[in-house]
Amino acid sequence: NVTTLPTICSRSSVPCCLLACRNIVGTAAMSEKVDLPEPALSDAAKALVAQIVAAGDEVRRLKSEKKNIDEALAKLIAAKKAFKTETGKDYVAPGAKKSNSKVAEKKAAK
């Protein structure tokens, strides 16, 4: 007995028919949240990502050599601000761990 009442789809967070999801992607769509791909970046945003990566590498290199990182850090921060201006989103490094918002709120409150 299959119900066809609309419900919120676990794949796309929009109302859909569970039967349709099951037919398209199998039962995994019913129980697992699938991350949707990020929209493609513009050429300017891709160039800023390259600048951010290079500046981050430079900061890490200077830190490992126990040298002054102020200038390199300023470049990294400027590139991240330009990325946010270009895309409207903060830059998040690939593979970065998501922060626990409750922990972040407690730290901000102190």
Side-chain angles (χ1 to χ4, degrees):
N1 194 9
V2 177
T3 185
T4 57
L5 295 174
T7 188
I8 300 299
C9 178
S10 62
R11 284 183 24 243
S12 60
S13 300
V14 296
C16 76
C17 173
L18 293 176
L19 182 60
C21 283
R22 195 173 294 129
N23 289 339
I24 294 170
V25 296
T27 57
M30 304 288 291
S31 60
E32 298 176 12
K33 183 173 173 89
V34 177
D35 290 330
L36 298 175
E38 290 289 323
L41 295 176
S42 68
D43 289 340
K46 288 178 185 177
L48 289 168
V49 168
Q51 287 178 8
I52 291 169
V53 170
D57 290 344
E58 180 69 8
V59 168
R60 283 186 290 281
R61 183 186 65 77
L62 290 171
K63 282 179 77 172
S64 71
E65 296 173 359
K66 308 269 189 221
K67 294 185 178 178
N68 189 347
I69 63 168
D70 292 343
E71 188 177 317
L73 192 58
K75 288 179 183 179
L76 176 60
I77 292 169
K80 285 185 173 184
K81 285 181 181 179
F83 181 85
K84 185 169 184 168
T85 300
E86 176 71 25
T87 64
K89 299 183 291 186
D90 287 328
Y91 174 77
V92 178
K97 294 180 181 178
K98 293 182 181 178
S99 66
N100 185 340
S101 61
K102 289 183 181 181
V103 172
E105 288 173 7
K106 287 182 181 179
K107 286 183 180 179
K110 287 183 180 181

